[in-house]
């Protein structure tokens, strides 16, 4: 993979450089609630601008249905990027139409523009190679060089991620180079003990990575909604907790494999359970009980790991050399159910291990709960991309940059 430093050494002054970023930030109306992904790509954009490039930044945001939707506009992200760069950032109100062409044509050396949400064009996400390629051809007309730095999208075979690099000289941005280097430390160059913490809602989202990690990790700690399918597979009553009965057979197989291969696969020993899901907007105090994991009442659901589990999991992280964490272990958005996720994050901070927070809700939780991001070895910008890499899959966006 050609690096941005190699690209800069060749000279980019006066060239239109298309940066495929990941500005897919959470919004409350037009307000950004977590600008982590914008801050992560800002160094690459700043380097290019300082070198005299005319920088064209593109990204998706949310899941619009192939047509313009004001709720998914990148305008707030463009404003925030301008604040971080300390310069005005132009904004095109379409992707490849007259606004994009005029905005890019008006750029001077060192200036930056953001074009509108790529997913407003159906060609971006099309499964038809010709339709996707046609959109990539239009995007290519806006630039002389391509820099891929949207790690959160590299697992998608989309026009701006997969097809566009084949049409332009290309290089990997600083963020992607960092992310790939970190992932190699979790796969090919692992220091042990290697502890993996997996949470989140659905066990089906994590099956492939569990399958792969059973041959690589020393310990796997399970939390979040996905834990209740494991507990059910052990014969426990899980009440009205999140449960995927269709995955019980697979989960049972994984627990057996873990035992046979000597991998510690740990489940919650106690949980916080309540009769209803908490109010996440008003965050009114929750009415819950703390019970052992095998004693969840039939009319209640588990919403966080309990104090004994927090202590257990922290002890299993304490002596690790490498820790990968993907997925909160409770409904962290509500203060009464945030203590499990907080305990996991604190255990990573207290550990002397190389610690990786695997993007998505885990990264959001770290910020929401007030942790210093620099206290972790790395906070990934791509939850899905990180998981697919750990599953051993080829990532289209990385393959395109290597081509």
């Amino acid at each position: 993979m050609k690096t941005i430093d190699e690209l800069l050494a060749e000279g980019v002054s006066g060239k239109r450089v298309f940066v495929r970023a990941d500005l897919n930030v959470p919004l409350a109306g037009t307000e950004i609630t977590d600008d982590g992904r914008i801050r992560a790509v800002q160094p690459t954009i700043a380097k290019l601008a300082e070198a005299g490039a005319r920088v064209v930044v593109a990204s998706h945001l949310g899941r619009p249905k192939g047509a313009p939707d004001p709720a998914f506009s990148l305008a707030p992200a463009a404003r925030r990027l301008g604040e971080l760069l300390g310069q005005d950032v132009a904004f095109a109100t379409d992707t490849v139409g007259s606004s994009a062409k005029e905005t890019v044509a008006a750029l001077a050396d060192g200036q930056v523009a953001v074009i509108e949400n790529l997913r407003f064009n159906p060609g971006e996400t099309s499964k038809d190679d010709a339709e996707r390629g046609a959109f990539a051809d239009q995007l290519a007309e806006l630039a002389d060089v391509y820099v891929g730095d949207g790690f959160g999208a590299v697992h998608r075979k989309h026009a701006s991620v997969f097809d566009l690099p084949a049409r332009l000289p290309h290089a990997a941005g600083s963020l992607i180079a960092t992310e790939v280097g970190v992932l190699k430390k979790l796969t090919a160059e692992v220091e042990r003990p290697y502890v993996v913490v997996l949470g989140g809602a659905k066990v089906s989202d994590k099956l492939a990575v569990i399958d792969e990690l059973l041959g690589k990790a020393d310990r796997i700690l399970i939390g979040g909604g996905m834990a209740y399918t494991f507990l059910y597979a052990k014969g426990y009553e899980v009440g009205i907790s999140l449960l995927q009965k269709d995955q019980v057979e697979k989960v049972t197989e994984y627990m057996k494999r873990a035992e046979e291969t000597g991998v510690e696969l740990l489940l919650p020993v106690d949980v916080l359970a309540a009769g209803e899901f908490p109010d996440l907007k008003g965050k009114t105090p929750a009415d819950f009980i703390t019970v052992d994991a095998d004693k969840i009442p039939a009319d209640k659901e588990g919403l966080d790991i309990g104090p004994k589990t927090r202590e257990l999991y922290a002890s299993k992280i304490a002596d690790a050399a490498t820790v990968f964490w993907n997925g909160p272990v409770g409904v962290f958005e509500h203060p009464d159910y945030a203590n499990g996720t907080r305990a996991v994050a604190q255990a990573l901070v207290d550990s002397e291990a190389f610690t990786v927070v695997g993007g998505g809700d885990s990264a959001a939780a770290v910020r929401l709960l007030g942790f210093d991001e620099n206290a972790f070895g790395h906070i990934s910008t791509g939850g899905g991309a990180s998981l697919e890499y750990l599953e051993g899959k080829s990532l289209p966006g990385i393959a395109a940059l290597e081509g």
Side-chain angles (χ1 to χ4, degrees):
M1 247 187 335
K2 186 175 186 176
T3 67
I4 189 172
D5 291 334
E6 292 172 309
L7 179 67
L8 292 170
E10 294 171 0
V12 294
S13 182
K15 292 183 178 180
R16 300 169 302 163
V17 180
F18 187 104
V19 177
R20 200 334 177 160
D22 179 11
L23 308 180
N24 185 29
V25 292
L27 296 172
T30 60
E31 295 298 316
I32 296 170
T33 58
D34 182 354
D35 67 354
R37 285 176 170 163
I38 304 176
R39 287 187 287 109
V41 76
Q42 184 262 347
T44 289
I45 296 168
K47 279 184 184 179
L48 291 165
E50 287 164 9
R54 303 176 181 191
V55 188
V56 182
V57 182
S59 177
H60 70 288
L61 191 153
R63 297 178 182 272
K65 302 182 187 295
D69 183 337
F72 297 106
S73 175
L74 277 173
R79 286 194 295 272
R80 180 60 182 143
L81 178 60
E83 292 169 358
L84 291 169
L85 291 171
Q87 65 165 278
D88 290 336
V89 168
F91 182 66
T93 56
D94 57 27
T95 56
V96 290
S98 58
S99 179
K101 291 173 183 175
E102 291 166 9
T103 301
V104 173
L107 288 175
D109 295 0
Q111 292 186 331
V112 179
V114 173
I115 63 174
E116 187 54 287
N117 192 334
L118 293 165
R119 291 185 182 176
F120 285 1
N121 190 304
E124 169 68 1
T125 59
S126 177
K127 293 183 180 178
D128 181 83
D129 290 349
E131 183 179 13
R132 218 175 48 246
F135 183 49
D137 288 338
Q138 292 177 293
L139 291 172
E141 292 176 7
L142 299 174
D144 306 303
V145 181
Y146 176 94
V147 171
D149 215 27
F151 181 73
V154 293
H155 58 314
R156 306 294 187 194
K157 191 177 181 181
H158 290 170
S160 65
V161 175
F162 179 73
D163 302 272
L164 186 54
R167 288 157 167 78
L168 294 169
H170 52 267
S174 302
L175 175 60
I176 279 187
T178 298
E179 294 272 14
V180 171
V182 166
L183 288 168
K184 284 181 179 176
K185 290 186 178 181
L186 299 177
T187 51
E189 305 159 8
V190 184
E191 291 189 25
R192 298 183 179 281
Y194 179 19
V195 178
V196 176
V197 185
L198 295 176
K202 295 182 178 180
V203 70
S204 54
D205 293 340
K206 303 290 196 305
L207 287 176
V209 76
I210 294 172
D211 185 41
E212 188 72 17
L213 289 170
L214 277 173
K216 295 177 178 175
D218 298 299
R219 300 172 196 144
I220 301 176
L221 318 182
I222 304 291
M226 62 181 284
Y228 301 100
T229 300
F230 279 90
L231 293 172
Y232 184 87
K234 289 189 71 171
Y236 295 174
E237 167 68 63
V238 297
I240 56 172
S241 304
L242 189 60
L243 172 63
Q244 290 184 283
K245 285 189 177 181
D246 60 331
Q247 304 298 338
V248 169
E249 185 177 347
K250 180 62 69 175
V251 160
T252 303
E253 175 199 328
Y254 286 168
M255 288 192 290
K256 183 180 179 183
R257 272 178 54 197
E259 189 175 352
E260 291 171 349
T261 56
V263 175
E264 281 191 87
L265 196 157
L266 288 97
L267 303 177
V269 294
D270 61 343
V271 303
L272 306 189
E276 60 182 6
F277 198 80
D279 167 25
L280 298 183
K281 288 188 177 179
K283 294 183 172 58
T284 53
D287 182 18
F288 63 85
I289 60 173
T290 302
V291 295
D292 288 344
D294 60 350
K295 293 181 175 61
I296 300 173
D299 62 346
K300 296 191 185 299
E301 65 176 319
L303 295 166
D304 194 12
I305 59 173
K308 288 188 287 188
T309 307
R310 289 175 225 151
E311 189 175 336
L312 171 65
Y313 283 11
S315 72
K316 295 295 182 178
I317 292 168
D319 67 342
T322 305
V323 184
F324 173 71
W325 171 32
N326 182 280
V329 296
V331 185
F332 71 93
E333 299 92 340
H334 191 286
D336 289 337
Y337 301 116
N339 288 325
T341 300
R342 182 180 287 107
V344 169
Q346 189 63 55
L348 265 68
V349 169
D350 294 341
S351 168
E352 295 183 5
F354 175 62
T355 56
V356 179
V357 180
D361 285 342
S362 310
V366 162
R367 297 184 184 110
L368 180 69
L369 298 175
F371 285 89
D372 179 359
E373 294 179 44
N374 294 320
F376 302 89
H378 179 69
I379 298 179
S380 179
T381 57
S386 295
L387 286 178
E388 290 200 16
Y389 189 100
L390 293 180
E391 289 166 15
K393 291 182 178 178
S394 173
L395 304 181
I398 300 298
L401 292 174
E402 291 173 339

